[in-house]
């Protein structure tokens, strides 16, 4: 069986690492990796292939950054050409980026079956480009792997029950697999000048926070009021506009880090502040409280038991939740750590 995997953005490399590891254990699958080039800086792309032993992409379309339409169109053109040549039995797409929807659209028109991993997520905020990408991809894919029961229920409500199944979350598999590797290979002091359990961790890159300088300023004003350091591995999109934002020296900006470093930073911090989907979940998996810098979240399971709060970009709401510490035991919403195996076995049987 030949599978073409479409990746392009940071969270997809992390998910693909776990799926590719399982594929490599099966002698009867050949995987072709197509990198769209949506993320291209070394610390947003190359580092993941090296650290996580992801097979080198067979193709890199090098599309780079541009407006959504132009970027997606370039991907569509490039992916179509490769799929015509490679004739895979399946394509795998992940999550909700422009690379996801471009891959799915190209394959759907060529009648190549599409597996969507991390299907059924909804924020119900159609101003998010990711929401449009998710909805479109789910509705043109052939098999939808839902990471949680909530996601599966959403797919059922949208009339997609027959094509959907609960797999568990491959990012949960990833954390379980890489947690120990991170602990043995990476030292906190080599990443940032902080002590374990004496700092907060933040990431910010959602368009709603980076397109609106007032929101970004409000977030950084809140961070500046903390009496301990907050480490911010900064996404290139946010870095581009940071010159216009004021903050105090306890806010420590660093370059984006590799996954093993990020797992180390998350494991050792007190709390996470983020607008990232993936990091909200990793905070939950590592039992770190999260404060989400958005008005809503797709990962509603993490809100239970006080583990996550959505506060938007409201300084006072951010500050109000900093000292919250009344957490209830977590439930097992994200599967048993064997999502990748289930997904690949399913595709092999099909
Ligand atoms: N991440 C990383 N290095 C960083 C920041 C984040 O490896 O400097 C990882 C993080 O641990 C998570 C993933 O990137 O696994 C989340 O990706 P991102 O926030 O870019 O996208 P989202 O999950 O919001 O789609």
């Amino acid at each position: 069986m030949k599978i073409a995997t479409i990746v392009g953005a940071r969270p997809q490399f992390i998910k693909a690492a776990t799926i590719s590891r399982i594929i490599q254990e099966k002698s009867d699958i050949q995987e072709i990796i197509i990198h769209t080039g949506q993320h291209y800086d070394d610390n947003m792309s190359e580092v993941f292939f090296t650290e996580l032993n992801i097979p080198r992409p067979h193709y890199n379309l090098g599309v780079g950054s541009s407006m959504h339409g132009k970027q997606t169109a370039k991907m569509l053109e490039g992916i179509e050409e490769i799929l015509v040549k490679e004739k895979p039995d399946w394509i795998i797409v992940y999550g909700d980026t422009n690379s996801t929807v471009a891959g799915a659209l190209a394959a759907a028109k060529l009648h190549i079956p599409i597996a969507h991993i991390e299907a059924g997520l909804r924020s119900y905020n159609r101003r998010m480009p990711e929401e449009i990408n998710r909805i479109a991809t789910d509705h043109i894919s052939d098999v939808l792997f839902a990471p949680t029961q909530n996601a599966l229920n959403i797919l059922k409500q949208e009339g997609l029950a027959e094509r959907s199944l609960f797999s568990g979350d491959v990012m949960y598999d990833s954390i379980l697999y890489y947690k120990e590797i991170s602990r043995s290979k990476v030292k906190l002091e080599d990443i940032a000048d902080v002590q374990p359990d004496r700092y907060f961790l933040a990431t910010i890159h959602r368009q709603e926070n980076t397109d609106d300088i007032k929101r970004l300023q409000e977030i950084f004003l809140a961070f500046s009021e903390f009496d301990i350091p907050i480490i911010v591995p900064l996404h290139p999109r946010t870095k581009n506009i940071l010159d216009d934002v004021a903050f105090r020296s306890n806010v420590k900006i660093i370059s984006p880090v590799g996954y093993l470093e990020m797992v180390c930073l998350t494991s050792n911090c007190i709390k996470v502040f983020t607008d990232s989907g993936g990091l909200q979940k990793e905070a939950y998996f590592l039992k770190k409280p999260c404060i989400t810098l958005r008005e809503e979240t797709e990962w509603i399971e993490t809100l239970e038991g006080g583990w996550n709060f959505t506060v938007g970009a409201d300084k006072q709401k951010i500050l109000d939740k900093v000292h919250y510490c009344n957490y209830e035991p977590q439930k097992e919403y994200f599967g048993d750590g064997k999502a990748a195996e289930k997904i690949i076995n399913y595709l092999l049987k099909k």
Side-chain angles (χ1 to χ4, degrees):
M1 184 168 81
K2 193 191 231 186
I3 292 177
T5 296
I6 319 280
V7 289
R10 176 167 68 187
Q12 294 166 338
F13 308 139
I14 294 158
K15 290 163 203 165
T18 294
I19 291 283
S20 287
R21 185 161 41 80
I22 303 298
I23 291 179
Q24 282 165 57
E25 289 167 8
K26 316 270 179 194
S27 55
D28 39 0
I29 307 181
Q30 182 196 0
E31 185 185 28
I32 306 287
I33 298 186
I34 305 170
H35 187 329
T36 63
Q38 183 175 344
H39 285 170
Y40 46 86
D41 291 338
D42 278 357
N43 56 16
M44 294 295 290
S45 172
E46 177 61 29
V47 64
F48 299 99
F49 286 86
T50 314
E51 257 193 357
L52 308 181
N53 292 320
I54 309 169
R56 292 278 119 200
H58 298 75
Y59 299 91
N60 191 326
L61 299 175
V63 300
S65 315
S66 44
M67 298 273 291
H68 281 274
K70 189 172 175 187
Q71 188 186 53
T72 311
K74 280 189 189 168
M75 291 174 183
L76 197 49
E77 193 181 358
I79 294 169
E80 182 175 61
E81 222 168 84
I82 297 165
L83 295 183
V84 167
K85 187 171 135 211
E86 293 286 351
K87 298 185 180 50
D89 301 296
W90 280 96
I91 73 145
I92 293 181
V93 292
Y94 295 94
D96 56 20
T97 72
N98 290 345
S99 303
T100 316
V101 75
L105 198 50
K109 298 284 180 75
L110 293 168
H111 310 142
I112 297 168
I114 307 158
H116 185 203
I117 296 181
E118 208 176 77
L121 274 294
R122 297 291 180 269
S123 64
Y124 299 105
N125 173 2
R126 288 211 177 202
R127 291 185 61 81
M128 286 179 78
E130 294 89 345
E131 183 77 352
I132 307 301
N133 292 341
R134 290 176 197 128
I135 295 170
T137 304
D138 281 342
H139 283 259
I140 58 175
S141 292
D142 297 272
V143 184
L144 304 172
F145 293 107
T148 62
Q149 286 296 338
N150 280 324
L152 185 65
N153 290 340
I154 288 171
L155 294 169
K156 286 181 183 165
Q157 283 159 20
E158 293 184 15
L160 301 170
E162 277 177 19
R163 294 185 250 160
S164 307
L165 62 134
F166 170 77
S167 57
D169 195 320
V170 292
M171 287 191 83
Y172 184 49
D173 298 17
S174 300
I175 277 284
L176 295 181
Y177 183 78
Y178 289 110
K179 202 164 57 171
E180 288 313 314
I181 298 177
S182 165
R183 200 169 298 166
S184 64
K185 284 201 171 168
V186 172
K187 286 199 186 79
L188 180 61
E189 66 257 34
D190 294 338
I191 311 170
D193 186 17
V194 280
Q195 301 294 315
D197 299 319
R198 297 269 190 283
Y199 67 94
F200 294 134
L201 175 66
T203 70
I204 306 162
H205 73 284
R206 283 267 98 70
Q207 197 170 302
E208 70 207 56
N209 285 330
T210 56
D211 276 6
D212 184 344
I213 197 79
K214 283 197 208 114
R215 284 180 70 98
L216 198 61
Q217 180 64 78
E218 186 88 354
I219 291 168
F220 275 86
L221 283 178
F223 290 176
S224 297
E225 298 218 358
F226 300 160
D227 50 10
I228 60 166
I230 178 159
I231 303 292
V232 191
L234 206 64
H235 195 282
R237 184 195 287 163
T238 320
K239 189 167 176 257
N240 288 341
I241 53 165
L242 204 67
D243 285 349
D244 300 324
V245 175
F247 52 89
R248 217 165 57 83
S249 62
N250 70 309
V251 182
K252 306 210 179 289
I253 308 289
I254 62 172
S255 297
V257 296
Y259 180 68
L260 299 181
E261 287 74 11
M262 195 61 188
V263 172
C264 173
L265 280 174
T266 313
S267 305
N268 286 292
C269 76
I270 304 173
K271 246 177 213 198
V272 169
F273 298 76
T274 192
D275 57 14
S276 156
L279 189 56
Q280 283 176 66
K281 281 189 292 174
E282 285 165 355
Y284 187 83
F285 301 154
L286 294 167
K287 299 204 165 48
K288 298 292 171 177
C290 183
I291 295 178
T292 294
L293 307 166
R294 291 177 45 200
E295 273 68 28
E296 72 282 309
T297 178
E298 302 78 35
W299 300 105
I300 52 174
E301 301 80 4
T302 62
L303 299 173
E304 263 183 46
W307 288 97
N308 188 9
F309 291 99
T310 52
V311 296
D314 183 314
K315 181 179 155 203
Q316 199 48 52
K317 283 191 187 161
I318 297 172
L319 294 174
D320 286 347
K321 287 289 176 248
V322 170
H323 297 293
Y324 182 90
C325 57
N326 192 13
Y327 311 110
E328 286 165 26
Q330 295 185 348
K331 295 187 193 134
E332 303 226 321
Y333 289 116
F334 295 89
D336 57 3
K338 296 196 166 64
E341 219 165 300
K342 265 184 218 143
I343 290 169
I344 294 306
N345 285 339
Y346 182 88
L347 294 182
L348 270 174
K349 271 198 211 126
K350 267 253 173 179

